[in-house]
Amino acid sequence: MLTESPLSTAERAAIDTVPRGLFIDGEWRATARSLPVVDPATGELLCSVADADPADGLAALDSACTAQPNWARTPPRERSDLLMRVHRALLAETERLGLIATLEMGKPLAEARGEIAYAAEFFRWFAEEAVRLDGGYLPAPTGGSRFLVTRQPVGPSLLITPWNFPMAMGARKIAPALAAGCTCVVKPAEQTPLSMLALAETMAAAGLPAGVVNVITTADPAAVMTPLIRDQRSRKLSFTGSTAVGKQLLAHCAQTVMRTSMELGGNAPLLVFDDADLDEAVEGALAAKMRNIGQACTAANRILVQRGVADVFARRLADRMAALPMGRGTEPNVVVGPLIDADAVAKVQRLVDDARARGATVLIGGTALDGPGTFYPATVLVDVPDDADMCHTEIFGPVAAIGVFDTEDEAVGRANDTPYGLVSYVFTENLRRGLRVCEALETGMVGLNQGVVSNPAAPFGGVKESGLGREGGLTGIDEFLETKYIGVKL
């Protein structure tokens, strides 16, 4: 039995602003069942929200399908204006929305504020793209007709978002869908539903037509979402989550040949060459490892350092990570908040114990903390062998695993020795080497001398088992558009 978390007046006020129902056809609907939302910093109850069943899911899809024709016909400028209103509203509510994200997910408040700004920027970026959808007109090579090429919305879209960036990952999917003229059903992660419910309320207040965006929260996503995925009326699925779940969803989508975008797991290598600026490399590694407490698909999972600078780099990184304040995300100056739940802590501990058993040495951290909340300390391991489980599994925690390499070819070969290919990081002051290595790495994104690559104006996505399609950038809206050719006889 969960006890209610003793929140401050400001914290309780922020939580109480969030609607607790399902958002279907522009209305908030109660359900017979409820879904508890837990504060990972205390293990106590924040509140409960509606828990949808399969009938609720179908009602949400019905609403999206009914709204689709009118939304597709809405002038691009009107769609753009709506997205800009949402952009401004999110920025105006940064403090409240950031606090909500911190309370339900655990990330430090400074990072939560950054996430709200990041989410808002997706709405601004795709507001600008909504009025720039292009097409084509050209003569047939053989004469006698013309080719008219236009792009139209894919149609009702299913959007499934993860718990680690509960506001931004929704914005990254909803904004291009709406800009393209698609309606949608959004299913947020059951651990962090409040941010998405708050976003739905924000969009409604900005003038969102009924049925264009529907949000369903549920403790049984497979039962609720599988019928929607197999429904012929659903024409697009965008999913962010694990590769294992992504593969299951792709199998369901194959039944109706549904368009898919998949942002799946990663195993990011971070390469530090002996000619790197070590101060820059340490700070870059810290950013790539510790963003969101290490709970990011873009987190540096394998840090490979050239032998000549490996010891110095490891000690500097350990000193920096040891100095990071840990605590509840609402506390001043905290950088290391709690992990999402007890299962996450157990997974990280298992990976650390396995690496130690295989010969790795722990420089700092390495043992889960006792007491309330799901905290794990910042940890640095050196001499981590390639056969350690953490070299093949997303750690998803504040653990830096450092190995050593000798040559450029060795570094690239070990970096690519994984079925995943989301992002890589490279630190070197040699431009030629930097370009060679970036081009040789089998990933969808590379950070060259920087530890953060995510930007709404850039295409985000991976190769191999890290996913399909791209989110953000000039190509992000393409995922929600079909190309139609019309032959015109003269």
Side-chain angles (χ1 to χ4, degrees), residues 131-151:
V131 295
R132 293 181 174 86
L133 303 181
D134 58 4
Y137 179 84
L138 66 158
T142 55
S145 65
R146 296 292 182 267
F147 298 160
L148 179 63
V149 179
T150 185
R151 296 202 290 171

Side-chain angles (χ1 to χ4, degrees), residues 295-333:
Q295 298 174 117
C297 56
T298 55
N301 214 58
R302 298 168 293 151
I303 300 176
L304 301 175
V305 188
Q306 201 155 22
R307 190 173 301 278
V309 295
D311 290 343
V312 174
F313 174 88
R315 176 45 58 191
R316 288 192 190 180
L317 182 61
D319 289 344
R320 288 286 284 114
M321 289 181 62
L324 299 177
M326 179 168 58
R328 192 166 184 252
T330 54
E331 297 171 2
N333 304 315

Side-chain angles (χ1 to χ4, degrees), residues 108-465:
L109 192 53
E111 284 203 47
R113 294 187 188 106
E115 181 180 346
I116 304 308
Y118 183 44
E121 192 60 24
F122 281 108
F123 283 96
R124 178 162 69 167
W125 175 263
F126 285 108
E128 295 164 342
E129 291 301 294
V131 295
R132 293 181 174 86
L133 303 181
D134 58 4
Y137 179 84
L138 66 158
T142 55
S145 65
R146 296 292 182 267
F147 298 160
L148 179 63
V149 179
T150 185
R151 296 202 290 171
Q152 298 177 324
V154 169
S157 300
L158 308 177
L159 314 178
I160 302 177
T161 62
W163 52 260
N164 54 344
F165 292 92
M167 178 70 76
M169 296 303 95
R172 193 159 73 179
K173 298 177 187 300
I174 294 169
L178 299 191
C182 297
T183 61
C184 55
V185 176
V186 187
K187 200 289 293 178
E190 51 267 38
Q191 299 95 327
T192 56
L194 300 180
S195 291
M196 183 54 60
L197 295 173
L199 178 56
E201 183 184 41
T202 300
M203 290 187 290
L208 180 78
V212 172
V213 176
N214 305 272
V215 178
I216 50 175
T217 52
T218 178
D220 193 357
V224 172
M225 295 305 294
T226 299
L228 307 191
I229 294 171
R230 292 179 172 175
D231 194 304
Q232 289 279 358
R233 298 173 297 168
S234 301
R235 296 314 311 147
K236 166 77 182 183
L237 172 65
S238 179
F239 170 75
T240 297
S242 72
T243 295
V245 173
K247 289 179 178 180
Q248 295 174 13
L249 295 177
L250 284 170
H252 291 315
C253 291
Q255 304 305 309
T256 59
V257 196
M258 188 190 299
R259 284 277 296 273
T260 60
S261 298
M262 294 278 161
E263 198 267 281
L264 307 177
N267 188 12
L270 186 147
L271 309 181
V272 180
F273 288 90
D274 56 11
D275 59 1
D277 178 325
L278 280 192
D279 289 335
E280 186 174 65
V282 168
E283 292 307 310
L286 193 69
K289 178 71 263 181
M290 294 302 293
R291 186 186 184 200
N292 215 43
I293 326 164
Q295 298 174 117
C297 56
T298 55
N301 214 58
R302 298 168 293 151
I303 300 176
L304 301 175
V305 188
Q306 201 155 22
R307 190 173 301 278
V309 295
D311 290 343
V312 174
F313 174 88
R315 176 45 58 191
R316 288 192 190 180
L317 182 61
D319 289 344
R320 288 286 284 114
M321 289 181 62
L324 299 177
M326 179 168 58
R328 192 166 184 252
T330 54
E331 297 171 2
N333 304 315
V334 162
V335 177
V336 184
L339 300 187
I340 188 64
D341 56 28
D343 288 343
V345 174
K347 173 188 175 182
V348 171
Q349 189 64 64
R350 179 184 64 77
L351 292 174
V352 170
D353 290 345
D354 170 80
R356 183 187 284 135
R358 295 175 189 270
T361 298
V362 177
L363 293 186
I364 62 166
T367 303
L369 303 182
D370 294 327
T374 47
F375 291 90
Y376 198 92
T379 298
V380 176
L381 293 85
V382 295
D383 301 323
V384 177
D386 287 348
D387 64 351
D389 287 348
M390 65 172 55
C391 293
H392 307 279
T393 304
E394 280 188 300
I395 301 170
F396 247 60
V399 177
I402 301 176
V404 176
F405 69 88
D406 290 300
T407 67
E408 180 181 314
D409 286 345
E410 178 193 352
V412 172
R414 288 168 65 185
N416 288 340
D417 187 18
T418 174
Y420 302 100
L422 185 60
V423 62
S424 301
Y425 305 93
V426 178
F427 289 86
T428 176
E429 291 295 285
N430 185 316
L431 177 61
R432 291 182 179 179
R433 167 181 278 168
L435 292 176
R436 277 198 312 270
V437 173
C438 287
E439 292 182 2
L441 289 169
E442 297 170 352
T443 54
M445 302 174 288
V446 183
L448 179 56
N449 293 323
Q450 63 180 40
V452 176
V453 297
S454 302
N455 191 300
F460 187 103
V463 299
K464 299 195 285 189
E465 291 190 19

Side-chain angles (χ1 to χ4, degrees), residues 23-27 59-68 71 156 178 182-185 208-215:
F23 187 63
I24 299 175
D25 200 26
E27 298 178 345
L61 180 59
D62 290 342
S63 175
C65 292
T66 299
Q68 179 61 52
W71 184 243
L178 299 191
C182 297
T183 61
C184 55
V185 176
L208 180 78
V212 172
V213 176
N214 305 272
V215 178

